[in-house]
Amino acid sequence: MKPGLLEVMRMNRICRMVLATCLGSFILVIFYFQSMLHPVMRRSPFGVDICCRKGSRSPLQELYNPTQRSLERVSPPWLELSNTAVLHQMRRDQVTDTCRANSAVSRKRRVLTPNDLKHLVVDEDHELIYCYVPKVACTNWKRLMMVLTGRGKYSDPMEIPANEAHVSANLKTLNQYSIPEINHRLKSYMKFLFVREPFERLVSAYRNKFTQKYNTSFHKRYGTKIIRRQRKNATQEALRKGDDVKFEEFVAYLIDPHTQREEPFNEHWQTVYSLCHPCHIHYDLVGKYETLEEDSNYVLQLAGVGSYLKFPTYAKSTRTTDEMTTEFFQNISSEHQTQLYEVYKLDFLMFNYSVPSYLKLE
């Protein structure tokens, strides 16, 4: 997916900034509402609020004020670093601008509670907070976080079984801290997340949860419900097993107002802005699935571990592609496409994904 037009349009404006000393905006306390209409408080990431690891600089310092040693790691150093800084500043600006422009929708809730922070994984040793988004390489990033927080227990992330990476007890999340501890970490740690083209992520979730025979728990909990509501004259076997949900039925379930009133979406198809709350929490780095390896290794470099820890790479033949997503949407009516786009519209806008060419919006 190519960058959207807005990223290109911002290049001239941001290139005039002093790239090596960009200052981040930090929301200091997230448990009360701060109007997006007011200017966001800007603070130096190098002051007393940041308690660095002993003998080293924090990832926030490396991000906003890289050392000469960091500059020597890239060649040509200033050109590559400047391009990276511009790219990530544009992504941060895109999120901020979208939140401000859509404040009535994006900030319906005036406060967050600790329960809203269960997707934010904390690494105390390297001062990182990672908001995981299912279907955006979160298994491999959880593996990396286990290596980073394991204090020598793990060395190779790919030696960690996928199911072990998803055991909640293996990683500490932000909701497990007290409110003062939460606010301290939100101020002091580098916060990052990874995003993906929303409909590609949605098709990936559908394929994984509803077309694989081993996912019986999803078939029972969601498949049976979807078939009961969306399929006329369903067989008793289909109602009992829920293992043959069609993509059209899945889409109809997602846009059904009854679904949204009944309970929050499952995390695998929940919107990113609802999982990670980027209009309430300032993310210092927004990585993208389309540049996954590059963005991931940049995070690891900022954390000071890039020389010995890399993002796992391997060719996955079953990966959901843009072409595959196009095929899945061919049988979706323009009315349902329009309604589904409205559900995920903020994710498209916030992370600068263009409206897919295959959509027939009304």
Side-chain angles (χ1 to χ4, degrees), residues 49-80:
D49 288 329
I50 292 180
C51 179
C52 305
R53 293 161 291 159
K54 274 190 176 179
S56 64
R57 290 158 52 84
S58 75
L60 276 182
Q61 289 175 312
E62 287 295 339
L63 174 63
Y64 293 110
N65 188 23
T67 60
Q68 183 62 35
R69 184 177 178 183
S70 298
L71 298 177
E72 292 169 355
R73 294 174 189 160
V74 292
S75 178
W78 284 107
L79 176 60
E80 186 169 337

Side-chain angles (χ1 to χ4, degrees), residues 47-114:
V48 294
D49 288 329
I50 292 180
C51 179
C52 305
R53 293 161 291 159
K54 274 190 176 179
S56 64
R57 290 158 52 84
S58 75
L60 276 182
Q61 289 175 312
E62 287 295 339
L63 174 63
Y64 293 110
N65 188 23
T67 60
Q68 183 62 35
R69 184 177 178 183
S70 298
L71 298 177
E72 292 169 355
R73 294 174 189 160
V74 292
S75 178
W78 284 107
L79 176 60
E80 186 169 337
L81 187 70
S82 296
N83 289 341
T84 302
V86 168
L87 173 65
H88 288 289
Q89 183 63 49
M90 285 193 300
R91 291 178 182 177
R92 287 191 291 270
D93 286 350
Q94 180 71 20
V95 172
T96 300
D97 293 348
T98 303
C99 290
R100 185 176 290 116
N102 298 272
S103 59
V105 177
S106 64
R107 296 179 63 91
K108 279 183 179 178
R109 300 179 56 194
R110 298 173 68 87
V111 296
L112 297 181
T113 67

Side-chain angles (χ1 to χ4, degrees), residues 297-341:
N297 288 330
Y298 182 50
V299 172
L300 296 174
Q301 175 191 322
L302 293 170
V305 298
S307 61
Y308 60 87
L309 186 60
K310 302 293 182 185
F311 186 80
T313 58
Y314 61 95
K316 190 174 180 182
S317 59
T318 59
R319 188 181 81 84
T320 300
T321 63
D322 184 58
E323 293 76 15
M324 198 178 295
T325 304
T326 302
E327 291 180 17
F328 272 89
F329 272 83
Q330 283 182 348
N331 295 325
I332 306 300
S333 69
S334 59
E335 179 185 4
H336 282 189
Q337 286 185 8
T338 302
Q339 291 175 291
L340 189 68
Y341 178 77

